[in-house]
C-alpha cells in the first residue's frame, strides 16, 4: 500500500512558467507559477499575428498584462471581441454608451470591509456559462496597494496525488453567490439595494443564488489541460455529498490552490491592462488603499458550459 508523504502535495520542482519563443511580442514571466508581462503590443493597433501569440501566452501563463496602454473603452471592447462575444456581467450595469464595459471604482473617501472582487474567486461561476476571459484596465491606480493576486488552478490540480485526482474527477460543485449577497446585505439592512463601495449593483438575485452545478475538475476547451474549479467565494457544496463531507474537501482544495508558490501578484500602474483565464486561475483584489482612488474598466468574454 503506497501512502504518499505530505511533500507530494506541496509545491516542488514542477514549475514551468517559461516564456515560449514568440515572434511578434515578448513575454516576461512574473512568478514561477504563473503570470507574464507582454511587451511589444499596443492594443489600439494589434494585428492578427500579435493577437494569436497574445492568446497563446494567456493560456500558457493564465494571466498576462501589458503596461502603458492608452486604452479607450472602444479599444478594450475591440480586443475583448477578438476572444469571443461579450459575456454578461451578473453584478453591474455597464457605462453609458458602452454596456459591456463595467467601471470598478473605490473612491478615496470610501472605507468598506467589502470591495468588488475582494475575496479569492473565479469570475461568476454561478452562471451556466461563466466568463472565459476577463480584461481589466487600470484607469486610476493608488500609489501603492490595490494589487490583484492570482492563483494557478491547473498547477494545483497537477500537483495533487493520482489518488486524489481520481477521487475528484466526476464530482460536481454547486456554485452560488449566496454568501456574497448575504455579506452585502449585512451592510445594507434594507435588502437588495446593494452597493459595494462606489459600484451600483444591478443584480438578478434568483440567478445568482440558485447558481449552477459544474465539474470540479474541468478541462480547458483550447488546451485540454485539467484544472480545479472550486473557490472559497462561490463553492457552496458538492453534488451528492452532505455539507459536513463537502466542506472539508472544498477547504482542503482551496488551501491547496492558494499556497503562496502557486500564485503571483500584479502591481498595477495607470495604463496597465491585465487579461486572465477564468478556466485556469482564481484571483483576489486587495482592499488596502483607503485614502486613494482606484478606477478599473472591466470587460468579459463569454465562456462555454464547463466540461
Ligand atoms: C475582479 O474581480 O474582476 C476585479 C479585480 C480587481 O479589481 O483587481
Amino acid at each position: 500500500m503506497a501512502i504518499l508523504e505530505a511533500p507530494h502535495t506541496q509545491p516542488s520542482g514542477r514549475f514551468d512558467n517559461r516564456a515560449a519563443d514568440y515572434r511578434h511580442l515578448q513575454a516576461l514571466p512574473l512568478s514561477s507559477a504563473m503570470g507574464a508581462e507582454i511587451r511589444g503590443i499596443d492594443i489600439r493597433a494589434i494585428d492578427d499575428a500579435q493577437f494569436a501569440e497574445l492568446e497563446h501566452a494567456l493560456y500558457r501563463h493564465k494571466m498576462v498584462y501589458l503596461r502603458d496602454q492608452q486604452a479607450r473603452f472602444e479599444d478594450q471592447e475591440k480586443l475583448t471581441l477578438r476572444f469571443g462575444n461579450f459575456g454578461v456581467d451578473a453584478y453591474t450595469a455597464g457605462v453609458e454608451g458602452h454596456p459591456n464595459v463595467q467601471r470598478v471604482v473605490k473612491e478615496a473617501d470610501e472605507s468598506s470591509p467589502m470591495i468588488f472582487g475582494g475575496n479569492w474567486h473565479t469570475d461568476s461561476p454561478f452562471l451556466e456559462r461563466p466568463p472565459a476571459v476577463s480584461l481589466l484596465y487600470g484607469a486610476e491606480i493608488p500609489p501603492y496597494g490595490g494589487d490583484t493576486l492570482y492563483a494557478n488552478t491547473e498547477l494545483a490540480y497537477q500537483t495533487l496525488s493520482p489518488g486524489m485526482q481520481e477521487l475528484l474527477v466526476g464530482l460536481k460543485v454547486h456554485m452560488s453567490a449566496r454568501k456574497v449577497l448575504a455579506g452585502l446585505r449585512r451592510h445594507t439592512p434594507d435588502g437588495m439595494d446593494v452597493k459595494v463601495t462606489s459600484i451600483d449593483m444591478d443584480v438578478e438575485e434568483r440567478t445568482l443564488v440558485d447558481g449552477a452545478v459544474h465539474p470540479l475538475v474541468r478541462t480547458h476547451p483550447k488546451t485540454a489541460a485539467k484544472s480545479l474549479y472550486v473557490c472559497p467565494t462561490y463553492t457552496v457544496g458538492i453534488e451528492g455529498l452532505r455539507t459536513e463531507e463537502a466542506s472539508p474537501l472544498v477547504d482542503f482544495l482551496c488551501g491547496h490552490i492558494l499556497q503562496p508558490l502557486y500564485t503571483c501578484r500584479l502591481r498595477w500602474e495607470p495604463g496597465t491592462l491585465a487579461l486572465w483565464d477564468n478556466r485556469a486561475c482564481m484571483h483576489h483584489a486587495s482592499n488596502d488603499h483607503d485614502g486613494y482612488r482606484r478606477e478599473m474598466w472591466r470587460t468579459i468574454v463569454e465562456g462555454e458550459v464547463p466540461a
Side-chain angles (χ1 to χ4, degrees):
M1 183 173 58
I3 307 274
L4 298 184
E5 301 295 325
H8 290 272
T9 61
Q10 304 297 322
S12 59
R14 304 174 198 227
F15 300 97
D16 178 21
N17 196 35
R18 277 173 299 122
D21 199 8
Y22 295 119
R23 292 177 48 215
H24 304 280
L25 54 82
Q26 301 87 51
L28 285 83
L30 178 60
S31 80
S32 300
M34 65 177 299
E37 179 178 346
I38 301 298
R39 293 201 184 147
I41 290 185
D42 175 348
I43 67 155
R44 292 171 304 182
I46 184 169
D47 63 28
D48 291 347
Q50 287 177 317
F51 177 74
E53 291 192 348
L54 178 67
E55 189 176 24
H56 182 278
L58 173 62
Y59 299 150
R60 173 154 182 77
H61 300 288
K62 323 306 177 204
M63 184 279 289
V64 293
Y65 59 99
L66 296 80
R67 300 285 192 200
D68 301 322
Q69 300 297 311
Q70 314 289 322
R72 298 158 304 171
F73 292 147
E74 42 273 47
D75 303 313
Q76 187 169 339
E77 287 167 328
K78 267 198 213 150
L79 182 62
T80 307
L81 286 170
R82 277 186 172 262
F83 286 94
N85 295 330
F86 288 120
V88 178
D89 186 73
Y91 285 112
T92 59
V95 302
E96 209 181 328
H98 299 270
N100 295 297
V101 180
Q102 297 100 40
R103 230 190 262 271
V104 175
V105 181
K106 185 179 177 202
E107 297 291 354
D109 61 359
E110 284 181 351
S111 185
S112 165
M114 194 155 176
I115 57 162
F116 188 86
N119 285 308
W120 281 106
H121 67 287
T122 173
D123 281 337
S124 304
F126 45 80
L127 298 175
E128 275 314 303
R129 297 167 65 110
V133 174
S134 302
L135 293 84
L136 195 67
Y137 177 75
E140 190 172 341
I141 299 298
Y144 59 89
D147 296 355
T148 306
L149 286 69
Y150 297 86
N152 184 338
T153 53
E154 275 182 18
L155 184 59
Y157 174 76
Q158 286 159 21
T159 52
L160 289 172
S161 63
M164 180 55 99
Q165 290 177 344
E166 205 177 310
L167 190 134
L168 299 177
V169 168
L171 291 181
K172 296 205 160 163
V173 277
H174 180 199
M175 302 290 212
S176 157
R178 72 180 184 221
K179 290 189 282 186
V180 175
L181 294 181
L184 292 171
R185 272 215 196 78
R186 270 205 295 281
H187 307 298
T188 56
D190 309 342
M192 279 312 296
D193 179 24
V194 292
K195 213 169 156 68
V196 179
T197 64
S198 286
I199 304 162
D200 286 318
M201 308 291 277
D202 182 6
V203 169
E204 208 283 277
E205 190 178 3
R206 201 66 268 155
T207 314
L208 274 75
V209 172
D210 288 351
V213 171
H214 295 305
L216 195 159
V217 178
R218 68 179 292 184
T219 304
H220 198 285
K222 307 273 181 177
T223 65
K226 291 190 186 323
S227 64
L228 293 171
Y229 201 49
V230 59
C231 79
T233 301
Y234 294 120
T235 307
V236 294
I238 297 180
E239 204 175 63
L241 300 192
R242 297 198 181 96
T243 305
E244 62 267 30
E245 296 166 333
S247 293
L249 184 53
V250 170
D251 290 350
F252 163 73
L253 291 172
C254 291
H256 174 67
I257 295 166
L258 298 176
Q259 296 181 71
L261 287 191
Y262 294 159
T263 70
C264 70
R265 181 174 188 125
L266 174 60
R267 182 163 188 171
W268 294 91
E269 292 169 7
T272 300
L273 175 74
L275 301 87
W276 63 87
D277 183 348
N278 285 297
R279 286 95 38 120
C281 68
M282 278 198 245
H283 60 283
H284 181 306
S286 302
N287 186 11
D288 57 356
H289 55 92
D290 283 12
Y292 297 108
R293 190 172 190 278
R294 182 179 189 263
E295 173 172 340
M296 318 298 281
W297 304 342
R298 183 171 177 274
T299 48
I300 47 179
V301 181
E302 182 183 51
E304 57 291 313
V305 176

